[in-house]
Amino acid sequence: MDVDYIIVGLGLAGLAFAEQLENNNKSYVVFEDNSQNASLVAGGVYNPVILKRFTPVWDALDQLEIAIPFYKALEKKLNTKFDHNLDIQRVFTSVEEQNNWFSACDKPFFSDYMIPQIIQNTNQNVNADFGYGKIINTGKIDAEVMLTAYKKHLDNKNLLRNERFDYADLKFEDYLVNYKNITTKHIVFCEGFGVKKNPYFKNVPLQEAKGELLTIHAPELKIDFLLKSSVFIMPLGNHYYKIGATFNWTDKTLLPTEEGKNELLAKLRKIITTDFEIVDQKAGIRPTVKDRRPILGKHNIHKQLAILNGLGTRGVMLAPKMARNLFNHLENDQPIDKEIAITRFE
Ligand SMILES: Cc1cc2nc3c(=O)[nH]c(=O)nc-3n(C[C@H](O)[C@H](O)[C@H](O)COP(=O)(O)OP(=O)(O)OC[C@H]3O[C@@H](n4cnc5c(N)ncnc54)[C@H](O)[C@@H]3O)c2cc1C
């Protein structure tokens, strides 16, 4: 079997790259072994404002310009709804924060997103004495729904191998590479934190940033926006809410922990006063890079191998643009910006 590409990993990165290939009539197969699940558990929020300091997310407007039409087109193609508009309301903790909000609103970057007023809290089940700052034109991708639909799409075309990609089975020829019975020009590794097991790219400086989330049922809470405080409270419908997320820089396991749950509960109880029931807990590892930028490019010796990784905490916004950049690099020799190129670590 001959294909133009093999993709290893079907999270947000692998999906975005597969779409590049489909849209450019390239042949490919995808390997996916369910060893990582950052994309499956992610909150899926896209938002160009850093909610801690009211500063711009790096490259956000460019990324959104590509990401929004990308997801819209994919919804149409898969005939599945997964992109949902969702306003964000950031709880203020002081008058100083309210003042910082108004200063940020004056900057042209934020004009389409930040509302220059204080929204008063009218919900007696929420502690928000200083009110909220509201961000609009934001949303969330239900990545689990999207990925499930995409897997089905690939399965129907017989392009998905539900198995571990075994690095030991690679055999290099001049400009090609063989993997078992497949000969290809390029292998693009989109393994998220799984890249640590890849002998060709294991030295990229990825830090594990494990995140845990709870799903709760809270019939009295009645919030229809994404509330951001020390944790976020994301409405899922039918009185269910996702609560997240923790950051743990040392735990490399995928399992939810008691410690993660207790941290989220302690923070949540400071924000809401109503009763709730925990119905689920999930965990995943964000593939985060030391300098907080993605990692794209070819292996320094085996030019048939490439990496698309380091999407960190913002895979939803980053993946479509990064996949496009890498595709243009591999197919048209377009240079990759130094800031995101793997060569910055060589
Ligand atoms: C708790 C939490 C909340 C988050 N919230 C948000 C959010 O609100 N917004 C946002 O934009 N981002 C969010 N993120 C970050 C986002 O999830 C990541 O940026 C993104 O999922 C990374 O995608 P990826 O495809 O690079 O990696 P992954 O999702 O980890 O995908 C890698 C895939 O490769 C597969 N794989 C690995 N090795 C092999 C192998 N040898 N053979 C076959 N398959 C292999 C894995 O099984 C996996 O499916 C969150 C992450 C977490 C953990």
Side-chain angles (χ1 to χ4, degrees):
M1 177 188 186
D2 282 359
V3 287
D4 295 318
Y5 284 82
I6 293 175
I7 298 175
V8 181
L10 190 69
L12 291 171
L15 179 151
F17 200 80
E19 271 302 280
Q20 276 297 318
L21 298 181
E22 286 212 9
N23 293 337
N24 288 280
N25 299 317
K26 300 288 176 189
S27 57
Y28 67 97
V29 283
V30 180
F31 285 80
E32 170 54 53
D33 70 350
N34 299 316
S35 56
Q36 294 290 326
N37 56 5
S39 301
L40 289 174
V41 305
V45 178
Y46 55 87
N47 156 38
V49 185
I50 295 179
L51 294 168
K52 214 176 199 172
R53 301 182 293 273
F54 316 142
T55 49
V57 170
W58 168 74
D59 192 39
L61 299 189
D62 258 24
Q63 288 166 25
L64 281 173
E65 210 173 294
I66 294 172
I68 300 296
F70 172 89
Y71 292 116
K72 288 268 172 265
L74 191 56
E75 278 189 324
K76 222 172 174 182
K77 171 166 152 176
L78 300 176
N79 196 18
T80 307
K81 177 84 187 149
F82 48 76
D83 181 2
H84 304 277
N85 293 338
L86 187 62
D87 293 344
I88 298 174
Q89 293 195 190
R90 160 65 152 83
V91 175
F92 293 131
T93 54
S94 62
V95 172
E96 192 189 347
E97 274 201 340
Q98 294 174 338
N99 291 338
N100 293 345
W101 178 265
F102 283 110
S103 307
C105 287
D106 283 343
K107 298 187 179 127
F109 176 94
F110 292 124
S111 60
D112 288 343
Y113 298 96
M114 292 173 74
I115 305 288
Q117 72 188 66
I118 294 167
I119 312 286
Q120 296 305 330
N121 176 36
T122 52
N123 186 332
Q124 58 184 11
N125 293 315
V126 176
N127 291 323
D129 292 347
F130 291 92
Y132 300 99
K134 184 170 179 173
I135 306 174
I136 56 168
N137 294 325
T138 50
K140 69 155 189 180
I141 298 296
D142 191 331
E144 191 174 1
V145 169
M146 176 177 75
L147 283 163
T148 305
Y150 207 76
K151 280 179 187 160
K152 207 165 149 197
H153 165 75
L154 292 181
D155 251 344
N156 289 341
K157 295 166 65 168
N158 202 19
L159 299 180
L160 182 60
R161 306 285 161 87
N162 287 300
E163 62 191 61
R164 178 173 181 270
F165 184 89
D166 193 346
Y167 312 97
D169 284 333
L170 282 177
K171 292 193 179 64
F172 295 94
E173 289 178 26
D174 281 353
Y175 294 102
L176 299 172
V177 54
N178 297 307
Y179 179 70
K180 297 185 177 168
N181 62 342
I182 308 173
T183 302
T184 185
K185 293 182 210 152
H186 305 278
I187 303 182
V188 176
F189 291 104
C190 306
E191 305 140 303
F193 195 68
V195 74
K196 289 283 175 194
K197 294 192 179 142
N198 180 336
Y200 298 96
F201 289 109
K202 67 172 191 246
N203 292 328
V204 294
L206 226 55
Q207 291 176 308
E208 57 274 25
K210 179 171 173 177
E212 299 196 41
L213 301 142
L214 298 174
T215 305
I216 63 164
H217 186 234
E220 302 301 322
L221 189 52
K222 299 195 169 55
I223 294 176
D224 61 1
F225 50 86
L226 189 146
L227 183 151
K228 176 69 179 103
S229 183
S230 55
V231 287
F232 69 71
I233 302 176
M234 175 191 281
L236 302 174
N238 295 327
H239 310 297
Y240 288 94
Y241 298 87
K242 207 177 243 189
I243 312 299
T246 59
F247 269 88
N248 184 321
W249 297 96
T250 50
D251 182 356
K252 295 183 179 60
T253 66
L254 289 174
L255 297 176
T257 63
E258 212 41 36
E259 189 192 343
K261 180 169 92 181
N262 290 338
E263 181 186 328
L264 291 171
L265 285 179
K267 288 179 175 167
L268 181 63
R269 287 197 175 112
K270 284 192 182 151
I271 309 164
I272 67 171
T273 53
T274 177
D275 289 339
F276 58 86
E277 186 195 347
I278 300 172
V279 293
D280 197 12
Q281 183 179 0
K282 288 205 164 105
I285 301 185
R286 307 169 182 90
T288 304
V289 185
K290 279 195 178 133
D291 61 8
R292 302 291 182 270
R293 295 287 179 269
I295 304 179
L296 273 66
K298 292 182 202 164
H299 189 265
N300 57 354
I301 298 166
H302 302 294
K303 300 297 177 194
Q304 302 94 322
L305 308 184
I307 185 169
L308 174 50
N309 209 316
L311 302 187
T313 57
R314 298 186 201 280
V316 166
M317 290 202 318
L318 276 167
K321 181 174 175 186
M322 295 305 120
R324 186 191 284 190
N325 282 5
L326 182 63
F327 180 81
N328 286 335
H329 178 63
L330 299 179
E331 289 293 326
N332 310 319
D333 259 345
Q334 246 178 45
I336 296 177
D337 280 351
K338 267 195 196 129
E339 208 176 357
I340 56 175
I342 188 170
T343 47
R344 73 192 189 273
F345 302 116
E346 283 164 7

